[in-house]
Amino acid sequence: MSFPQHRPRRLRTTPAMRRLTAEHRLNAAELILPAFIREGLTEPNPIASMPGVVQHTSDTLRRAAAEAAELGLGGIMLFGIPETRDARGTASLDPDGVLNKAIRDVRAEVGDTLVIMSDVCLDEFTDHGHCGVLDDNGYVDNDATLEIYGQMAVAQANAGAHVLGPSGMMDGQIGVIRRALEDAGHKNTAVLAYAAKYASAFYGPFREAVDSQLKGDRRTYQMDAANRREAIAEVELDLEEGADMVMVKPAMSYLDIVADVAAMSPVPVAAYQISGEYAMIEAAAANGWIDRKAAIVESVMGIRRAGADMVLSYWATEIANWLKES
Ligand code: PBG
């Protein structure tokens, strides 16, 4: 007795058949490369917990951006690590500060051929490592922080960023940044809101990457991993304030959130495959426990399948190279 195969089986018979019937495929254009630049470096500095990722010098950052543009990546997201830090993150506003200078350099290198995004957040610039300034009780002072974010946003737009990425989870940050941009004549600078950003243990390696001074945690302003519905509320607020795109972060442990947001968002949805997601796959692959390339491709495919229109990934350049070969 022979039973008919179920229909999907017939669509899996050969690589060509699977390629034809794939519901999703990866494209370089939807990948965004997060990149770190550290002030005062003469050589790129490897990040131990993120093998293959470095803190760039201005030279190597320009080259990484040029390569990203060449490969047709969607964008680059810049993070700066300053030499000096203080309680108010003053260096973030200096037009010649590490991040603003990096934006200018990258813009000079790639022009409009790659979308240049930059991190609007104080954690890399404060000596206490929080995403905002602190009040007398050690709490993040939301309103005082917003004032600085508005100025930071204008400084980054002046430097040539196409898209600003406020990642600090301050209430009202999108509205304040939008208004500051309008007032400064930057009508075309877009805002990618880190709308549903969770307090996550998987940010660990990033904290090494930016040499974070944080002692406590960010649980009073980032979302609680227990909450799903709340992500929609956060996204709605950011949309009301004028977000042009919204982000879910992290990605892998939050694919339900990615799917929920993709289902309701009228604007493009990004997901950030964060440092800890990168580190886990690299560590397992280095031990020979998983097939590195297959695991990377599957992890990003999962994020796309969940509904993200674009993915920030430290593997963006490498994946784009693979896509070119295949
Ligand atoms: C805050 C920021 C963080 C990340 C991106 N922006 C760290 C945090 O919120 O603690 C994490 C990215 C990653 O882990 O790859 N400026």
Side-chain angles (χ1 to χ4, degrees), residues 26 251 255 258 296-308 311:
L26 301 183
L255 293 176
V258 173
I296 291 170
V297 169
E298 184 178 330
S299 69
V300 176
M301 185 63 88
I303 298 166
R304 290 276 294 123
R305 191 190 61 240
V311 182

Side-chain angles (χ1 to χ4, degrees), residues 34 36 50 79 119-124 131 167-168 194 197-198 200 202-207 210 214 218 222 249 272-276 314:
F36 305 103
M50 300 177 74
F79 296 94
D119 189 50
V120 182
C121 191
L122 281 176
D123 67 318
E124 291 96 0
C131 294
S167 66
Y194 284 62
K197 177 172 176 182
Y198 286 82
S200 172
F202 296 103
Y203 298 146
F206 179 94
R207 307 253 166 106
V210 300
L214 188 70
R218 306 196 200 286
Q222 296 181 345
K249 179 183 177 190
Y272 197 143
Q273 183 177 52
I274 59 158
S275 58
Y314 297 99

Side-chain angles (χ1 to χ4, degrees), residues 85-89 121-134 140 206-207 210-218 221-222:
R85 295 172 149 136
D86 60 26
R88 300 181 58 80
C121 191
L122 281 176
D123 67 318
E124 291 96 0
F125 294 95
T126 52
D127 54 12
H128 46 71
H130 275 290
C131 294
V133 293
L134 304 180
V140 171
F206 179 94
R207 307 253 166 106
V210 300
D211 193 14
S212 173
Q213 304 300 305
L214 188 70
K215 297 286 187 304
D217 58 53
R218 306 196 200 286
Y221 44 104
Q222 296 181 345

Side-chain angles (χ1 to χ4, degrees), residues 2-3 27 72 78 83 122-123 143 146 210 212 235 246 262 285 292:
S2 129
F3 296 96
N27 296 293
L78 302 175
E83 247 168 359
L122 281 176
D123 67 318
D143 294 357
L146 289 185
V210 300
S212 173
V235 168
V246 292
R292 179 174 180 275

